[in-house]
Amino acid sequence: MGFSTVAAAEEESRPRILLVYSADRLLPATVDFDNGFRRRMEELGLGDAVYYTEFLDLARLEETASRRKARVFRTIYEGNIDLIVSMGPVTLQLLTLDEPARAFAGVPIVLTTVETPEVDSVNVNALDNPIVHVPVRWGFAGTLRMIPQIQPEVERIYVVAGQSRLDRVLEQRLRKVIEQEAFEPEMIFLSGLTISDLLEQVRNLPEDSAILFLSVLHDGLQPRVSRQVAVAVAQSANVPVYGGMETYLHTGIVGGELTAFLQNGRDAADQAYQILRGGGAAYGTSLEPTVNRVAFDARALEKWGIDEDRLPPGAEIVNRRRGFWERHQSVLLTSGALILVQTLLIALLGYQIGKRRRAESQARMTRDELRLMTDMLPAVFFHVEAGTLRVLYMSQTARRWWDMACYPEEEKSLSQCLPPEVYAGILPLFSPQPDVSRHAAFPFTKYAQETAYAEAQVVPQPHVMPGSGQPSGYVGLILDVTDRHDAEMQARRLSGELAHSQRVSVLGELTAAIAHELNQPLAAILLNAVTAGKLLDKEDAALDEATMGELREIVQDVVADDKRAANIIRRLRKFLSRNPVQMTRVDLSQVVTEALRLMQGDLALNGITVNTDLSPNLPEVHGDVIQLEQVIVNLLRNAEDAINGSENKDAKLITVRTGAADGGKTVFCAVEDAGSGIDVVDPKKLFEAFYTTKAHGMGLGLSLGQRIMEAHGGEISAENLDHAGARFTITLPSISQAQSQSHP
Amino acid sequence: MTTVHVIEDDASFQKSLARLLRVEGYRVEVHPCPKQFFEDSLQTWQEPGEGDVLVVDLRLPYMSGLEVQRRLKELDLALALIFISAHADIATSVTAMKAGAVDFLEKPFTDQEFLQTLRNAVEAGRMMKRERRRRKDAQERYARLTRREKQVFQLVVAGCANKVIAAELGAAEATVKIHRRRVMEKMEVESLADLVRLSEILSPSLEKKGLPS
């Protein structure tokens, strides 16, 4: 087999470990366990182990499918594996299938399970494999037991669970726990509700209740992210919400016993290490369960007025309100840091150039000072060798953020000094090519649990290696820009809502025209149906050929009219939708056609004729269809108003053109009217919010149009025409030919 | 047979309305726009048939329903008018009714509403036609009168005695009597009462032209 020879040649001396997970790749439990396992392995000096990671996806696949998948794993890996780490007992069963002979016979297995009443023991001795069982307790059960202690007044506990297979498995598990232990509070299951129904419910729960948030991976309508649902539930609920997973911390949930998947991964790694070193752990044994974290959110406790004294002894409190300096630290420092760091970069480069000429002590002093300074920054600052990316220096901030220390004398590579997501984020910046981008932005995890956003910059050192002409090293900087990122997201959301409400207001003004348009097909359907009835009444028994033909035609016409009405409604609904911005490939001519159809009724009511000259083969642009349509509708409305306000009643004509300019680099749409023209002293005022010359309207159309165009990297312009009227033009960059080929 | 003319730009509605009318036994002529209607109609007939009706959409491209109504008046065509509209404001409908439309229907309407309105319109059309015929008749007779006889006619129907008329026109009473008899003959009436009725039929056209003095 090709695989095995390659693998053998390259990696003969390194241990090969197969990690098999029962769930899918992105489940927090999986991610935590995997991180814990790999980090611990690195710490134990087994960082060079070869990992093969597979996911059985039991929560979504049918059992036969999982079985097939497991069989495929077997064909691929059997005979090439030194150790299996299996998460979940079902995984183990599937992996060691009995047909035709036991798979992976003799390969040592580290089995991890969530220890619960229903899986209290795995019959590890029935297999031909040496097995070490590393269980972890199921935090939800612990949390459930804690609630009456923390809030003795609670009479009812509502359990939130979803609709996916895994959701239901967890719900069953909890029901078992409840059955086995006599619980004082009444248990009520809020399972299988859609998100909106769920939020409605938790908003109005009776007093003296609490919520236990289990998991919602699917709400019956669509797949969901449990953590996001938890955030929403915690925000809406009128009673405290408890959880049982580390991922639910910092969501507004009060806390509880949190299943320690990360630590469980570390414990599993310890066992793996022992096995691979050929000693230590006794096979066939079940270890003590990994100790779960019992943690509570200080702000949630404060919100619900829960006394910290009521918490179980030794409980950890997170998310304490920070002092002023701490809270605003990043804001205060980020701005200063940018300037300071630029200076430091120059200083460091200067230092690099001049270091050979300086005395050794002097150099050390300068270096120490520099390090002290960089350590104070809310940014990670580093210096690496080109090619090997060996770390020559990394500021102490890395230690604070990620608990990862890195000293030059350890000769570690950059990948060992940064969390994987950060390393992956900045790796492309080290290209020896001179013209690549040296900037990157990506999300990362800070303090082990806080999601943050980073911007990174890397600068090649100016002096080059002899011969190759390549830089000898790189200095780089990773900045935490979470506050700015959040502010931008918030601004984007608000502007999306503003755009939406303007669309609602535009449609409000078009009501008369829409009623007119909808009434046409409705009236035709009514008359057709009545006529059909009359035809059927007339010919009592046998229908002659002509009548049948007429009836057939009537049915066809009714269908066509119904479709016509449905299309009008579809167009309205699309225009009114509240979806977040979705950038897709867009043909501007098609957007214009849709906008014209939407406006068709109103234009006709006003007796306005539209001349169109739409280019059929426009290069595509990148954009949000609805917002672009909105811009064009606004321009058409303006043109209409200009015509209605004009003295010249004969000039009821709007001309709409689309085309490509700049040799296909940009695409434009121009809307011309024969109205009164633009009568503004300062044309810039035209695009200001709330500037309007009309009796109705809020003056938002053009300012929004400009904002939308800017967000699309385009622009909007206005000019008066020579004879009469005005022309508004929007211009957008097209997706270039090269790009469209590389992303088909 | 009654012919119903339909001016409607919405193709599918036009078709459904025509279909209903045919099934109900009317002759139907559809016209996509007023211009077409006037061109087609004026070429084929000088006079609309007895009881013919025009159904017209208020909102039409280029020429509104109200303009069609005005144009019909100008051309003096005796057609009963029904307005239909998918969305109309009160002001427009009032204007239409004041200008002599038989009825005003808002889409969507039921077949009963429409057919009843249509029957009313046919009746109204017939009456219009009769009145018109009478007026034309009267006008033709009136046209036979000499200038002097017309003056006598006006004064007679105004209720003046022969002596007063003679004084007014500066003529002998005997001459007035002769004129008066001629007027009665030419207008083909037996009594003064009939003559007054004829003058009433004629009055709109007379007022327009002004009284001869």
Side-chain angles (χ1 to χ4, degrees):
Chain A
M1 209 185 281
F3 174 90
S4 62
T5 49
V6 173
E10 274 183 10
E11 297 153 352
E12 49 199 318
S13 63
R14 298 153 65 182
R16 293 156 304 177
I17 301 173
L18 173 62
L19 290 151
V20 188
Y21 292 98
S22 57
D24 76 303
R25 194 165 62 81
L26 294 173
L27 197 76
T30 310
V31 175
D32 280 355
F33 181 91
D34 202 68
N35 274 339
F37 186 84
R38 288 181 201 229
R39 293 250 178 103
R40 182 63 186 151
M41 288 300 269
E42 256 179 52
E43 285 168 21
L44 292 167
L46 276 174
D48 63 341
V50 182
Y51 295 107
Y52 303 106
T53 316
E54 297 292 355
F55 305 89
L56 277 173
D57 213 352
L58 291 175
R60 288 186 301 189
L61 295 181
E62 292 300 320
E63 201 198 320
T64 47
S66 306
R67 201 176 285 276
R68 274 205 299 279
K69 213 168 171 186
R71 216 169 285 145
V72 173
F73 298 164
R74 178 180 176 178
T75 356
I76 299 173
Y77 298 114
E78 188 147 45
N80 294 310
I81 289 302
D82 296 317
L83 176 76
I84 295 173
V85 179
S86 155
M87 203 178 173
V90 185
T91 312
L92 185 64
Q93 277 161 22
L94 287 173
L95 264 190
T96 53
L97 292 172
D98 229 346
E99 39 182 285
R102 264 190 199 291
F104 298 108
V107 178
I109 294 175
V110 174
L111 167 70
T112 74
T113 62
V114 177
E115 191 204 46
T116 61
E118 112 238 20
V119 196
D120 47 6
S121 69
V122 174
N123 190 0
V124 292
N125 299 318
L127 296 172
D128 304 334
N129 305 67
I131 293 184
V132 177
H133 181 198
V134 189
V136 62
R137 266 203 202 91
W138 195 44
F140 288 99
T143 304
L144 195 60
R145 286 180 208 114
M146 272 173 210
I147 297 174
Q149 255 105 58
I150 297 170
Q151 289 185 275
E153 73 280 9
V154 162
E155 286 171 0
R156 278 166 236 89
I157 298 177
Y158 290 87
V159 179
V160 175
Q163 282 272 52
S164 80
R165 267 171 83 165
L166 188 64
D167 292 335
R168 279 179 298 186
V169 166
L170 294 181
E171 185 184 326
Q172 282 312 317
R173 206 181 260 179
L174 193 75
R175 283 180 188 276
K176 284 243 168 69
V177 173
I178 295 163
E179 265 170 39
Q180 285 173 6
E181 305 177 27
F183 271 106
E184 276 279 308
E186 187 189 350
M187 301 296 299
I188 299 150
F189 281 82
L190 298 177
S191 2
L193 298 177
T194 61
I195 295 295
S196 50
D197 289 348
L198 175 65
L199 295 183
E200 192 52 43
Q201 285 258 0
V202 300
R203 242 175 238 132
N204 305 303
L205 294 182
E207 270 179 59
D208 299 338
S209 314
I211 295 173
L212 178 61
F213 187 91
L214 211 51
S215 137
V216 179
L217 294 170
H218 200 290
D219 71 344
L221 289 180
Q222 62 191 86
R224 300 284 182 178
V225 177
S226 253
R227 188 175 198 274
Q228 285 167 7
V229 180
V231 170
V233 168
Q235 214 165 52
S236 309
N238 63 342
V239 297
V241 185
Y242 293 83
M245 294 272 294
E246 282 181 300
T247 7
Y248 297 164
L249 267 187
H250 298 276
T251 56
I253 272 179
V254 174
E257 182 178 328
L258 311 176
T259 318
F261 286 109
L262 194 81
Q263 184 57 43
N264 188 233
R266 296 178 66 89
D267 291 354
D270 283 333
Q271 296 308 317
Y273 176 80
Q274 303 262 348
I275 293 169
L276 290 171
R277 289 291 126 154
Y283 288 145
T285 48
S286 220
L287 300 184
E288 275 299 300
T290 300
V291 179
N292 277 342
R293 212 172 144 198
V294 177
F296 293 88
D297 186 304
R299 290 184 208 186
L301 292 173
E302 193 184 312
K303 177 178 172 191
W304 300 110
I306 297 170
D307 194 346
E308 283 184 22
D309 294 344
R310 293 214 152 273
L311 303 182
E316 179 188 348
I317 311 278
V318 301
N319 204 18
R320 281 208 193 277
R321 219 167 260 288
R322 290 178 283 174
F324 179 82
W325 167 250
E326 283 172 297
R327 257 185 285 150
H328 298 285
Q329 187 182 24
S330 49
V331 184
L332 293 170
L333 286 181
T334 310
S335 44
L338 277 168
I339 302 163
L340 192 56
V341 163
Q342 295 279 0
T343 322
L344 282 170
L345 282 177
I346 296 163
L348 188 77
L349 293 176
Y351 151 75
Q352 290 280 346
I353 294 161
K355 78 172 176 186
R356 258 164 276 155
R357 279 175 302 182
R358 285 187 201 163
E360 188 62 28
S361 61
Q362 179 68 33
R364 190 174 302 124
M365 234 175 81
T366 315
R367 196 165 57 210
D368 290 349
E369 279 164 10
L370 269 171
R371 286 186 178 179
L372 264 174
M373 284 161 79
T374 55
D375 286 349
M376 280 168 54
L377 291 171
V380 171
F381 186 64
F382 59 83
H383 178 201
V384 296
E385 201 174 65
T388 62
L389 297 189
R390 193 165 59 85
V391 176
L392 303 173
Y393 172 70
M394 180 168 286
S395 67
Q396 289 294 305
T397 318
R399 189 177 189 146
R400 289 207 301 276
W401 284 1
W402 303 308
D403 198 16
M404 290 178 102
C406 197
Y407 300 100
E409 48 280 16
E410 293 176 327
E411 305 221 323
K412 279 192 188 170
S413 78
L414 194 59
S415 65
Q416 291 168 296
C417 294
L418 293 173
E421 74 273 17
V422 178
Y423 181 66
I426 64 169
L427 193 59
L429 310 186
F430 296 104
S431 164
Q433 305 296 328
D435 52 353
V436 294
S437 162
R438 305 286 184 194
H439 290 269
F442 46 84
F444 70 100
T445 306
K446 207 171 138 184
Y447 307 133
Q449 57 210 5
E450 234 177 79
T451 304
Y453 288 86
E455 262 181 31
Q457 182 175 7
V458 163
V459 181
Q461 274 180 297
H463 49 250
V464 296
M465 310 259 280
S468 72
Q470 288 183 357
S472 58
Y474 296 91
V475 284
L477 172 75
I478 303 166
L479 262 180
D480 180 356
V481 295
T482 311
D483 290 341
R484 204 182 75 205
H485 176 267
D486 288 354
E488 276 169 7
M489 293 301 283
Q490 178 76 352
R492 199 174 303 165
R493 195 175 60 77
L494 285 178
S495 104
E497 273 173 21
L498 184 66
H500 176 255
S501 50
Q502 200 260 346
R503 287 200 295 275
V504 173
S505 124
V506 165
L507 277 197
E509 288 165 30
L510 297 181
T511 312
I514 293 162
H516 182 93
E517 262 190 298
L518 266 178
N519 261 340
Q520 298 285 23
L522 291 183
I525 289 172
L526 180 59
L527 288 191
N528 272 324
V530 166
T531 309
K534 284 175 192 277
L535 284 173
L536 289 169
D537 283 347
K538 241 179 224 172
E539 260 69 24
D540 30 22
L543 294 171
D544 61 53
E545 202 43 49
T547 314
M548 284 301 287
E550 184 84 51
L551 283 171
R552 230 171 271 129
E553 249 184 72
I554 286 178
V555 172
Q556 281 166 7
D557 287 355
V558 166
V559 170
D561 276 319
D562 189 274
K563 278 187 184 158
R564 185 172 147 206
N567 263 330
I568 295 170
I569 289 169
R570 176 193 60 77
R571 211 165 278 129
L572 292 178
R573 190 177 289 158
K574 194 180 107 199
F575 194 70
L576 277 183
S577 75
R578 210 187 195 122
N579 292 344
V581 174
Q582 272 178 1
M583 302 296 266
T584 52
R585 303 172 70 96
V586 179
D587 177 349
L588 195 62
S589 289
Q590 270 174 24
V591 176
V592 172
T593 309
E594 276 286 288
L596 282 171
R597 290 220 179 104
L598 192 70
M599 290 288 297
Q600 173 179 312
D602 198 56
L603 290 163
L605 278 189
N606 282 301
I608 293 171
T609 312
V610 180
N611 271 348
T612 55
D613 176 12
L614 305 182
S615 167
N617 300 314
L618 274 189
E620 287 177 312
V621 297
H622 218 63
D624 179 79
V625 179
I626 296 168
Q627 290 205 343
L628 290 179
E629 192 180 320
Q630 179 175 11
V631 174
I632 291 161
V633 165
N634 282 339
L635 293 185
L636 288 170
R637 296 272 304 151
N638 277 350
E640 220 177 38
D641 287 337
I643 288 171
N644 288 340
S646 160
E647 310 283 299
N648 183 3
K649 290 287 174 205
D650 301 328
K652 296 198 153 198
L653 180 73
I654 295 177
T655 308
V656 184
R657 284 182 293 125
T658 61
D662 257 347
K665 276 192 210 134
T666 60
V667 172
F668 71 88
C669 167
V671 176
E672 290 170 19
D673 63 69
S676 40
I678 309 159
D679 182 22
V680 183
V681 187
D682 181 4
K684 271 188 202 151
K685 270 201 119 149
L686 213 57
F687 297 103
E688 275 175 18
F690 305 114
Y691 176 84
T692 181
T693 54
K694 301 176 206 161
H696 65 276
M698 294 198 295
L700 275 181
L702 282 179
S703 80
L704 247 174
Q706 191 181 36
R707 200 184 296 180
I708 291 172
M709 291 320 294
E710 274 170 7
H712 281 77
E715 56 187 38
I716 185 166
S717 64
E719 64 201 297
N720 273 325
L721 295 175
D722 288 341
H723 33 288
R727 175 196 295 138
F728 284 83
T729 311
I730 60 170
T731 314
L732 285 163
S734 67
I735 301 171
S736 76
Q737 219 51 38
Q739 269 175 305
S740 65
Q741 273 161 9
S742 62
H743 307 288
Chain B
M1 193 199 255
T2 300
T3 303
V4 180
H5 295 273
V6 178
I7 312 182
E8 165 67 63
D9 62 324
D10 189 86
S12 84
F13 182 75
Q14 181 201 74
K15 210 165 148 194
S16 70
L17 190 63
R19 190 178 276 144
L20 173 71
L21 287 167
R22 271 202 310 277
V23 170
E24 284 293 321
Y26 292 95
R27 231 170 63 80
V28 188
E29 297 261 355
V30 292
H31 314 272
C33 67
K35 193 164 169 270
Q36 197 73 41
F37 167 75
F38 285 115
E39 276 174 12
D40 291 353
S41 317
L42 292 178
Q43 271 173 13
T44 36
W45 32 260
Q46 300 291 312
E47 269 289 293
E50 172 103 8
D52 282 3
V53 176
L54 174 62
V55 179
V56 58
D57 195 319
L58 249 190
R59 307 242 192 223
L60 291 165
Y62 306 111
M63 189 191 265
S64 79
L66 290 180
E67 280 170 274
V68 173
Q69 192 176 27
R70 213 171 302 136
R71 190 84 207 281
L72 279 176
K73 271 240 165 92
E74 277 169 23
L75 293 169
D76 197 21
L77 290 174
L79 265 176
L81 212 63
I82 300 176
F83 280 115
I84 52 174
S85 173
H87 186 86
D89 51 287
I90 295 172
T92 323
S93 29
V94 168
T95 313
M97 295 301 288
K98 272 193 178 161
V102 175
D103 214 335
F104 188 96
L105 287 175
E106 198 158 357
K107 295 182 204 170
F109 42 74
T110 63
D111 58 321
Q112 286 110 322
E113 282 176 87
F114 181 70
L115 293 172
Q116 186 54 49
T117 305
L118 189 62
R119 280 189 288 273
N120 294 346
V122 169
E123 200 38 56
R126 289 216 172 97
M127 261 168 61
M128 260 162 79
K129 196 93 187 180
R130 278 198 295 275
E131 234 162 72
R132 221 175 97 87
R133 202 180 307 122
R134 254 184 253 129
R135 195 170 70 236
K136 271 227 162 125
D137 228 31
Q139 276 168 350
E140 271 166 25
R141 289 182 217 165
Y142 184 70
R144 291 187 219 142
L145 303 184
T146 63
R147 198 173 144 268
R148 199 62 169 178
E149 285 163 359
K150 283 177 183 166
Q151 287 173 336
V152 173
F153 172 85
Q154 292 298 338
L155 293 165
V156 168
V157 298
C160 303
N162 286 350
K163 204 186 283 180
V164 179
I165 299 172
E168 184 83 12
L169 298 177
E173 204 179 328
T175 323
V176 171
K177 271 188 184 165
I178 295 169
H179 280 312
R180 190 172 170 147
R181 204 179 56 245
R182 286 244 183 85
V183 168
M184 299 290 272
E185 276 169 20
K186 281 185 179 169
M187 294 306 280
E188 298 172 31
V189 291
E190 304 286 314
S191 65
L192 179 62
D194 286 344
L195 194 68
V196 171
R197 222 166 31 78
L198 267 188
S199 84
E200 266 162 16
I201 294 172
L202 279 170
S203 65
S205 49
L206 291 184
E207 269 161 29
K208 211 189 280 170
K209 287 169 195 162
L211 280 177
S213 51

